Amino acid sequence: MFPGQLYKTESGRLFHAGANAIILVGLPARGKTAISRSLSRYLRWLGVQTKVFSVGNYRRQIIGVEVTNDFFSPVNKATADLRLKIANACLDDMVQWFTEGGQVGILDGSNTTEERRQELVKRFKECNVHAMFIETICDNPDIIDANIRSVKVSSPDYVGWDKQDAVDDFKRRIENHVPFYTTITDLSLTFVKVINAGERIIVNKAQGFLQSKIVYYLTNLHISPRTIYFARNGISLNEQSYKADAPLAPAGHRYAENLKNFVLTLRENTATSSPSSTSPQSETPRQLTVWTSSRKRSFQTAAHFLDHEEIIVRQRSVLADRNPGVCDLMTPQEIEEKYPDECLRAKADPYRHRLPRAESYYDLANRLEKVILELEREKNDVLIVAHESVIRCLYGYLNGLPESEIPSLEIPEGVLLEVVPTAYNTEERRYKIPDTVASVNWQQQSANLMALAGNFPASPMHMDHYLPDSIGRSIHDGNTTISSSTASSPTSTPSISGGLSAATSPLSAGRPQLQIHLPQQSTPEEIVQGPELNF
């Protein structure tokens, strides 16, 4: 089964939708391959048996990559029979796959003529497969040029080519197709037209749950390049208790500051080293958005980015880690002793089994579907600060991993994951986050926890939830004492002693800031450690 699959059937097909052929239509460099791969990844996540059949891959397997751009020209009669042979070989394998129980086959090809599209409809109708067309239309030269430079020059056809030569060759390939391209006008067909990479979408005769699901996904999809970062949250004062929702320990704040410094430095170095000729849009760096949950340790880790007003920090309550249920505050040994049968079932199915009153990875994956759709829609670069279990699920989605691999994925502490989705694969880098705060003057660092309304979409009446301690209480962690006396006066400033002080930073033009003075090292007694409960 797949991570988000709701149920099983004997046929393997879901949602009473039968077999569906998704047929891509459009000129080269319009995002057909990106849509094919992304849609396949999403449908497989839902549990739908899905496979992409790429005419380009069949061509490379049959004749290799050493072809000139005029090979693809419809007026080239010398290559017409070979092109048809390659297209039909791909189509035959797709039809055979349907007979073996496949549910959604995606035909990634140009299919630019009405004659070819009618042939495909007839062929699929003969084997009782519903045909649905996705036509990608783009008349924006900037989008086309950016797609060629960021995607096509890195395709298998241009390995070893000079980038500019590859761009020129591919543009000539497009020119060969333009005179023979006809858009879909037959209203008896089921089709979706994606115009200018999602600026506008036209839908005709989409019926049933599965096709509606596909249309909804396409409304969230784009082909713009972006980078997704993952980082675990810092250490809290009580790592063993989920219900305690403990704030960050001093070591957690230290890690958060290191994370912020490293991410900003990495992005600055990347922007400096990237050649300006790669894309006309490269002169404007993409904005960074930080997503985090409403759990204190996650939010307070992300809150260190709030002293940079150009960075948006957003709360997503669904990014909270798995609820351990009745096993809260229990060690793995204690769970083994008290619930031996549950532990055996958890070891047999670590993804779907849930302990009493707890959440499984399956529950978490279904909860994260709305985040997945928003992540597909997001055009900014995104840093997701979350618990290890959340990162495992999202990382598994982006890489198309089966459910059996997700619970055992290694997401190390103190490591930044950089994931770049592309049309052909997902590129990944991992960076060890260095400890660089030894010489930092903490009085110059602003977590901005007292004035979140401008940068953080949370209700001001609940701002105290995100402070190191709630209003009117005090906690002691050995080196830091946090207290407040604001209950008596709405205009008073929190009084924070032993390491925290309220002040105003010029960065925020008079907004109240929370400045942090933390010890460089925390002792073991300060933190209640609790291991990840894996079976």
Side-chain angles (χ1 to χ4, degrees), residues 223-239:
I223 61 173
S224 301
R226 58 353 189 332
T227 301
I228 301 170
Y229 304 96
F230 293 103
R232 292 177 57 171
N233 46 237
I235 298 174
S236 70
L237 291 171
N238 188 348
E239 287 287 287

Side-chain angles (χ1 to χ4, degrees), residues 288-292 302 305 311-315 381-383 385:
L288 176 65
T289 302
V290 182
W291 293 3
T292 185
F305 287 86
I311 297 177
I312 302 172
V313 178
R314 298 191 184 280
Q315 175 189 357
D381 290 346
V382 178
L383 167 62
V385 178

Side-chain angles (χ1 to χ4, degrees), residues 348-369:
D349 189 0
Y351 183 82
R352 290 184 175 265
H353 179 75
R354 64 174 68 89
L355 294 166
R357 301 181 185 176
E359 282 185 302
S360 64
Y361 274 99
Y362 168 75
D363 299 323
L364 176 59
N366 280 281
R367 168 158 46 98
L368 290 173
E369 183 182 357

Side-chain angles (χ1 to χ4, degrees), residues 14 35 38 44 58 80 144 168 219 236 255 278 290 295 303 305 317 321 357 388 403 405 471 481 497 521:
L14 305 180
I35 290 176
S38 298
R44 286 172 60 84
Y58 274 75
I144 297 171
D168 295 339
T219 62
S236 70
Y255 161 78
T278 300
V290 182
R295 306 284 295 174
F305 287 86
S317 60
D321 47 312
R357 301 181 185 176
E388 182 181 24
E403 64 176 43
E405 297 183 20
I471 298 300
T481 301
S497 61
Q521 300 293 336

Side-chain angles (χ1 to χ4, degrees), residues 39-261:
L39 181 59
S40 173
R41 179 179 62 203
Y42 176 67
L43 293 177
R44 286 172 60 84
W45 174 268
L46 296 179
V48 179
Q49 303 256 0
T50 308
K51 186 175 181 179
V52 176
F53 294 84
S54 171
V55 177
N57 285 345
Y58 274 75
R59 186 254 307 161
R60 284 184 279 268
Q61 293 170 8
I62 294 174
I63 63 174
V65 298
E66 299 295 333
V67 293
T68 58
N69 59 73
D70 61 352
F71 172 87
F72 306 93
S73 175
V75 299
N76 189 343
K77 303 300 182 182
T79 61
D81 290 342
L82 183 54
R83 293 197 311 271
L84 182 60
K85 177 183 176 181
I86 293 170
N88 286 338
C90 181
L91 178 60
D92 291 342
D93 285 353
M94 186 172 174
V95 171
Q96 178 62 31
W97 182 76
F98 279 124
T99 64
E100 296 170 356
Q103 184 166 12
V104 175
I106 302 177
L107 185 60
D108 180 13
S110 296
N111 304 307
T112 51
T113 66
E114 183 66 27
E115 179 184 7
R116 179 59 178 172
R117 293 193 289 266
Q118 290 299 331
E119 291 175 0
L120 293 174
V121 170
K122 180 181 178 181
R123 182 71 183 276
F124 287 123
K125 188 175 182 179
E126 290 173 353
C127 55
N128 196 28
V129 174
H130 307 290
M132 179 180 185
F133 292 90
I134 298 177
E135 182 177 8
T136 58
I137 302 172
C138 186
D139 55 12
N140 186 328
D142 290 339
I143 295 177
I144 297 171
D145 190 67
N147 191 32
I148 293 174
R149 294 178 182 276
S150 64
V151 177
K152 294 304 178 183
V153 298
S154 60
S155 77
D157 288 342
Y158 294 106
V159 174
W161 281 56
D162 175 78
K163 286 189 175 181
Q164 189 57 48
D165 290 343
V167 169
D168 295 339
D169 183 81
F170 198 86
K171 287 183 176 179
R172 287 191 292 270
R173 185 186 300 186
I174 297 174
E175 292 171 359
N176 289 333
H177 281 81
V178 171
F180 304 92
Y181 168 56
T182 57
T183 187
I184 298 175
T185 57
D186 186 352
L187 298 182
S188 67
L189 301 177
T190 297
F191 63 80
V192 180
K193 294 190 178 187
V194 182
I195 302 171
N196 286 337
E199 289 182 2
R200 189 157 60 98
I201 290 181
I202 299 173
V203 182
N204 184 71
K205 292 190 67 176
Q207 299 175 347
F209 178 82
L210 184 57
Q211 290 187 357
S212 298
K213 199 81 170 173
I214 291 171
V215 170
Y216 181 64
Y217 178 76
L218 292 175
T219 62
N220 290 276
L221 195 61
H222 64 83
I223 61 173
S224 301
R226 58 353 189 332
T227 301
I228 301 170
Y229 304 96
F230 293 103
R232 292 177 57 171
N233 46 237
I235 298 174
S236 70
L237 291 171
N238 188 348
E239 287 287 287
Q240 196 172 4
S241 175
Y242 176 89
K243 294 179 180 178
D245 192 16
L248 281 183
H253 280 289
R254 182 184 182 87
Y255 161 78
E257 189 68 19
N258 283 323
L259 172 64
K260 180 193 72 173
N261 292 340

Side-chain angles (χ1 to χ4, degrees), residues 399-417:
N399 288 277
L401 300 180
E403 64 176 43
S404 59
E405 297 183 20
I406 290 177
S408 58
L409 284 174
E410 291 188 8
I411 310 294
E413 292 182 335
V415 171
L416 178 72
L417 275 66

